[in-house]
Amino acid sequence: MLQSKAVVPLLLRALLVGAAVLGLFGTAHAQGRIGVTQSIQNNPVGKPPGGVDRVLRVGTDVQANEIISTAADDRAHLVFLDGTTLTIGPSSSMTIDKFVYDPATQKGELAVNATKGVFRIIGGRISKTSTIAVTTPAATMGIRGGIAVFGVQASATTSILVFGNSLTVTANGVTQTITVPGLSVTTPTGGTPGAPTIAVQGNLAAALGALAGNATAAAATVDAIQTLVASNLGNAVTLQALIQAIIVANTATPITTTTTSTNLAVIVVPENPNQTQASPN
Amino acid sequence: MKKLGTFLLLATVLVGCQSPDPVQKASPELQREYNAAFQKMLNDPGNLDVVMAYAQVATKTGDYEGAVGAYESVLLVDSNLPRVKLELGILYYRLKSYDTSRIYLEGALASPALPAEVRKPAELLLAKMPKQSKSQRT
């Protein structure tokens, strides 16, 4: 009898603890997935909050506050629930500081903290209404509706606007804003962002090459991909017509419309707003 | 000068606020198709058929960034896929990101594996590339 009296509270306690643990797991699972690993090379590693290191494989869920790191031959391509994609190049390390997304309103917040390496962000729904924040040892960047590539070294961070409305770079009270694709800003660690300059084509190509890597798939996989892309592109005749149409469309609304607002392209905002000035590119 | 700076800053902010989302502008039917393709890709990200289907519907919807993300992911599977690079070159051209477009088109054309029948359209696009920053190339 004594035994049963003692067992009941123990069982009750065990049940309560079990329920709490299950509840916690349930919450973690429900709130945990913010995206998924879409593509990898070799063995990129993710460390979810409170978890242990795990090799990211295609299909591995990614969580908020997860630390992602790559060795010299690793790469990872993540897709978030809002459609944002993040490609992490070799020898890189970063934390997904914040991801909040409401599919109903298609609004949210995304913040990333990168300590080293090369990576690319292609904005999804969130970036259409909010600025994606990227922090590095040298600067804080904000991307609005676009594509940007970053190179993060201990000595400096280089930010390139590949496409989009704006990329701001802020450090030590100074902000540089790029609104023309192809421009870059370099910020020495501990210093202030330099004036935007046209990204050297070789540097951009090298960054894109580093992000793509050097993987070689089996011949059958390559054939399958080429066939699928060919199907998307259409045959030579339709492709020719498509390209003619694209050229006409872009000629009708040339980028020079944006570039001619050259004075709008580069804004230097010093700490003292009275010193605000425009810099030509 | 101060007024000019304030005006330019305001103009930049206003320009920066304009982020039209082509998906929201699409017809309800196309939005459903887009959302279904995206969810399918989230749930089966390693399935190349699914990824390509999403890229296609994203392109059709005008979400060229979404399509770019999908094709870029395929380059991690194999980095020497001239048709994928050609598609990326076209998409970046549509986005008026000409420097990046040029890199991918040149990469596609440099590959002997690019089929002859699509070389001409690719060369045409490269030839018509606006010289936005060509003078800065090294």
Side-chain angles (χ1 to χ4, degrees):
Chain A
M1 195 66 183
L2 278 174
Q3 275 185 334
S4 62
K5 274 184 182 175
V7 165
V8 170
L10 280 174
L11 278 174
L12 188 61
R13 186 176 294 177
L15 282 171
L16 287 171
V17 170
V21 169
L22 284 173
L24 279 175
F25 282 153
T27 304
H29 180 72
Q31 295 179 348
R33 185 199 203 206
I34 61 167
V36 66
T37 311
Q38 185 174 18
S39 192
I40 57 160
Q41 270 180 25
N42 299 318
N43 300 304
V45 172
K47 185 180 182 185
V52 295
D53 284 355
R54 63 198 175 142
V55 174
L56 296 178
R57 296 297 179 209
V58 174
T60 302
D61 285 349
V62 179
Q63 300 179 22
N65 295 310
E66 179 147 6
I67 300 168
I68 296 166
S69 55
T70 56
D73 291 324
D74 300 338
R75 284 154 189 87
H77 182 95
L78 315 176
V79 56
F80 293 89
L81 302 183
D82 74 312
T84 296
T85 61
L86 172 62
T87 311
I88 303 153
S91 304
S92 302
S93 180
M94 66 166 49
T95 306
I96 302 161
D97 274 344
K98 187 173 190 179
F99 182 89
V100 179
Y101 180 60
D102 179 356
T105 61
Q106 301 200 330
K107 292 179 180 175
E109 289 179 67
L110 174 57
V112 171
N113 187 326
T115 51
K116 65 172 182 173
V118 57
F119 59 100
R120 171 184 51 222
I121 291 180
I122 301 177
R125 304 279 81 72
I126 286 176
S127 75
K128 301 294 184 278
T129 54
S130 301
T131 300
I132 296 175
V134 176
T135 305
T136 72
T140 300
M141 279 69 70
I143 312 154
R144 192 67 181 265
I147 304 173
V149 172
F150 302 93
V152 183
Q153 297 173 308
S155 58
T157 294
T158 299
S159 314
I160 304 173
L161 178 65
V162 175
F163 161 73
N165 291 332
S166 71
L167 169 62
T168 61
V169 184
T170 302
N172 289 317
V174 174
T175 298
Q176 297 278 7
T177 303
I178 308 172
T179 58
V180 174
L183 294 189
S184 72
V185 165
T186 298
T187 310
T189 303
T192 56
T197 55
I198 293 176
V200 176
Q201 188 86 349
N203 291 349
L204 180 59
L208 296 176
L211 291 165
N214 53 5
T216 303
T221 304
V222 171
D223 288 346
I225 294 171
Q226 299 283 63
T227 303
L228 286 166
V229 184
S231 167
N232 280 5
L233 280 171
N235 62 35
V237 176
T238 56
L239 179 62
Q240 180 84 12
L242 170 70
I243 282 180
Q244 293 280 15
I246 293 170
I247 291 169
V248 169
N250 277 27
T251 306
T253 55
I255 185 121
T256 45
T257 305
T258 310
T259 331
T260 34
S261 7
T262 328
N263 293 332
L264 298 182
V266 180
I267 304 293
V268 181
V269 184
E271 280 181 301
N272 180 355
N274 292 331
Q275 295 173 4
T276 298
Q277 57 184 298
S279 301
N281 24 322
Chain B
M1 189 63 193
K2 182 184 168 187
K3 282 183 180 174
L4 176 65
T6 306
F7 168 75
L8 293 173
L9 180 61
L10 182 63
T12 301
V13 170
L14 290 173
V15 168
C17 288
Q18 294 170 357
S19 301
D21 187 345
V23 180
Q24 290 188 332
K25 287 182 176 178
S27 68
E29 187 184 350
L30 193 51
Q31 282 189 34
R32 276 193 295 276
E33 188 183 352
Y34 176 93
N35 290 331
F38 179 67
Q39 288 304 322
K40 211 170 174 181
M41 185 176 74
L42 273 182
N43 294 328
D44 195 4
N47 186 328
L48 289 169
D49 288 319
V50 169
V51 174
M52 291 299 175
Y54 167 71
Q56 189 171 33
V57 74
T59 304
K60 191 166 67 174
T61 310
D63 179 18
Y64 302 136
E65 293 157 271
V68 162
Y71 284 118
E72 294 279 12
S73 78
V74 176
L75 285 182
L76 289 194
V77 177
D78 190 301
S79 57
N80 186 27
L81 294 166
R83 276 188 182 272
V84 173
K85 290 181 180 178
L86 172 58
E87 181 65 55
L88 282 166
I90 294 170
L91 286 166
Y92 278 111
Y93 189 99
R94 287 179 139 173
L95 289 168
K96 300 189 177 86
S97 180
Y98 296 122
D99 291 341
T100 309
S101 172
R102 186 182 295 116
I103 288 168
Y104 280 113
L105 288 175
E106 287 176 347
L109 287 165
S111 172
L114 186 71
E117 68 267 21
V118 296
R119 278 187 175 273
K120 195 177 166 189
E123 286 166 352
L124 173 66
L125 195 60
L126 193 58
K128 295 289 183 182
M129 190 77 65
K131 298 178 176 69
Q132 180 191 348
S133 60
K134 204 168 182 178
S135 60
Q136 303 295 325
R137 296 177 64 192
T138 57

